[in-house]
């Protein structure tokens, strides 16, 4: 009887969004009288940071600081249409819609500024700090605050824009059923190293090394946080979490989260994250959707590591000590 060490590898690709009905999302952008910008969406921030990313996308497109952008997710009664926050689609679909809306609002803003400065709108640019400058003559400028005031109270213009992102719909081929469910895919590879006690079946995950290709990290620190958290969740799925008791019957199942088995801080492995950026041709500033896939490759990687350590293949989750011991006994009996 001994502690045996094993290493497992798994790689996945994951579609961004879906194909159903073109997977549309709409966005509205408008300026307040003081030059802040309101983005209205029905896409919901579930805690993944979508509001922050949409603010960055809008600010970058219009040319203002991020803190000048307010995100209003409203509700499905009052907001523009969105298919929903799922399928790792939020950044890609809503981000593209926000870019369209922000471009339209920016154009109106430049037209109003051009009237105030008595130049052509095509001769203007933003400095990213809240000002509009004449190209080649930066001393001739106007603040976006003053442009917004002029639009609302002098020019009678609405600095606003509408955006909608819709992917080309793919229909299945009649002969083969083949289709293209997504326009871009994220990718990941995980290497997990574990120790397995072949006397008790207990598994200890020592290290998890993850490489994620996500298009472009629009907010690198938030991406890192999501990928690390997803990696821990993947380990939890692999070794701990289940809504069904595995012995001896359903009466022994947990009834609340106090009895629901999850790893604690002492159970988490040393985790390494490497992000590869390969910008997507149709993503907002090249971004793809890393949301759901970040918890996927750890599961088969841990299963492969257990197999490498003790030579039994566990194909039911979670990979519990009991299942490992039953497999080892069956292997010995065979």
């Amino acid at each position: 009887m001994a502690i045996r060490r094993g290493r497992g590898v798994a790689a996945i690709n994951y579609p961004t969004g879906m194909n159903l009905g073109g997977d549309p999302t709409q966005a509205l952008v408008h300026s307040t009288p003081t030059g802040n910008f309101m983005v209205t969406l029905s896409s919901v921030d579930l805690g993944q940071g979508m509001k922050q990313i949409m603010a960055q996308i809008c600010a970058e497109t219009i040319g203002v600081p991020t803190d000048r952008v307010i995100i209003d997710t409203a509700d499905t009664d009052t907001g523009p249409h969105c298919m929903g926050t799922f399928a790792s689609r939020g950044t890609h679909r809503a981000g593209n819609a926000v870019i369209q809306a922000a471009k339209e609002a920016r154009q109106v803003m430049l037209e109003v500024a051009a009237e105030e400065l008595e130049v052509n709108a095509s001769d203007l640019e933003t400095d990213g700090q809240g000002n509009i400058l004449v190209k080649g003559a930066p001393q001739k400028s106007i603040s976006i605050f003053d442009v917004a005031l002029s639009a609302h109270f002098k020019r009678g213009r609405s600095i606003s824009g509408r955006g909608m992102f819709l992917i080309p719909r793919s229909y299945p081929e009649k002969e083969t059923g083949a289709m293209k469910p997504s326009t871009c895919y994220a990718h990941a590879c995980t290497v997990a190293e574990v120790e397995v006690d072949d006397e008790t079946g207990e598994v200890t995950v020592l290290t998890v090394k993850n490489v994620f290709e996500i298009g472009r990290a629009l907010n690198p620190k938030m991406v890192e946080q999501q990928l690390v958290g997803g990696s821990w969740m993947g380990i939890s799925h692999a070794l701990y979490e289940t809504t069904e008791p595995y012995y001896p019957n359903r009466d022994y199942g947990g009834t609340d989260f106090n009895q629901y088995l999850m790893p604690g801080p002492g159970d988490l492995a040393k985790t390494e994250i490497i992000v590869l950026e390969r910008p997507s041709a149709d993503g907002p500033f090249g971004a793809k959707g890393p949301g759901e896939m970040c918890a996927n490759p750890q599961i088969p990687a841990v299963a492969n590591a257990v197999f490498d350590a003790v030579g039994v293949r566990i194909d039911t989750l979670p990979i519990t000590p009991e299942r490992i011991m039953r497999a080892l006994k069956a292997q010995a009996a065979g």
Side-chain angles (χ1 to χ4, degrees):
M1 303 297 180
I3 303 295
R4 303 186 182 275
R5 180 170 293 197
R7 179 179 295 167
V9 181
I12 66 167
N13 63 3
Y14 202 89
T16 297
M18 58 181 184
N19 184 254
L20 180 64
D23 200 15
T25 287
Q26 299 175 350
L28 301 174
V29 173
H30 75 271
S31 168
T32 68
T34 55
N36 290 324
F37 286 85
M38 177 73 71
V39 179
T40 305
L41 299 166
S42 288
S43 308
V44 178
D45 192 326
L46 302 176
Q48 78 276 34
M50 194 187 71
K51 285 187 175 182
Q52 173 65 26
I53 295 301
M54 293 305 110
Q56 289 181 214
I57 290 173
C58 180
E60 181 71 19
T61 304
I62 293 176
V64 297
T66 303
D67 60 11
R68 297 285 292 273
V69 179
I70 303 165
I71 306 297
D72 176 18
T73 52
D75 58 45
T76 53
D77 285 331
T78 61
H81 176 259
C82 177
M83 291 294 287
T85 302
F86 58 91
S88 302
R89 64 184 298 280
T91 294
H92 189 274
R93 303 304 199 252
N96 275 313
V98 168
I99 287 175
Q100 290 183 20
K103 284 182 176 179
E104 189 173 294
R106 173 185 167 88
Q107 182 58 36
V108 178
M109 179 184 72
L110 294 180
E111 290 172 2
V112 174
E115 294 178 7
E116 291 295 313
L117 295 172
E118 298 181 341
V119 298
N120 293 324
S122 59
D123 294 330
L124 298 175
E125 62 184 359
T126 53
D127 66 355
Q129 301 301 315
N131 301 296
I132 300 173
L133 318 174
V134 175
K135 297 175 184 176
Q139 70 279 6
K140 191 173 184 179
S141 66
I142 185 172
S143 70
I144 292 175
F145 177 88
D146 288 331
V147 171
L149 288 176
S150 175
H152 282 81
F153 300 110
K154 180 180 177 182
R155 304 289 178 179
R157 300 289 303 274
S158 173
I159 300 177
S160 59
R162 301 158 297 172
M164 180 169 181
F165 184 71
L166 186 72
I167 66 170
R169 188 168 182 181
S170 174
Y171 291 90
E173 296 177 3
K174 293 182 179 180
E175 295 79 11
T176 65
M179 63 179 297
K180 187 177 182 181
S182 184
T183 59
C184 65
Y185 294 80
H187 306 84
C189 181
T190 293
V191 178
E193 190 171 9
V194 306
E195 285 183 345
V196 182
D197 188 328
D198 64 6
E199 186 173 11
T200 66
E202 183 178 0
V203 178
T204 301
V205 182
L206 303 176
T207 64
V208 179
K209 298 179 173 65
N210 305 279
V211 179
F212 295 95
E213 186 279 301
I214 61 167
R216 187 176 180 189
L218 301 186
N219 187 311
K221 182 54 66 175
M222 289 178 65
V223 167
E224 179 187 0
Q225 291 170 345
Q226 182 153 0
L227 297 180
V228 170
S231 182
W232 293 347
M233 185 179 292
I235 295 172
S236 186
H237 288 328
L239 297 177
Y240 297 89
E241 295 187 53
T242 178
T243 57
E244 293 293 326
Y246 41 86
Y247 71 91
N249 58 52
R250 291 178 64 92
D251 295 337
Y252 290 81
T255 58
D256 56 35
F257 280 111
N258 289 323
Q259 300 173 342
Y260 185 77
L261 189 62
M262 293 183 287
D267 302 309
L268 297 174
K270 181 180 179 181
T271 303
E272 183 177 345
I273 301 292
I274 296 174
V275 175
L276 300 180
E277 294 186 296
R278 301 291 186 271
S280 168
D282 70 345
F285 300 105
K288 300 177 182 178
E292 290 168 297
M293 76 153 185
C294 59
N296 288 358
Q298 298 80 16
I299 299 170
V302 168
N304 288 337
V306 169
F307 177 77
D308 185 51
V310 293
V312 294
R313 178 69 68 186
I314 310 300
D315 57 8
T316 301
L317 295 179
I319 302 171
T320 61
E322 291 84 357
R323 286 184 173 134
I324 292 174
M325 292 308 300
R326 290 190 186 110
L328 288 172
K329 290 179 179 179
Q331 183 187 66

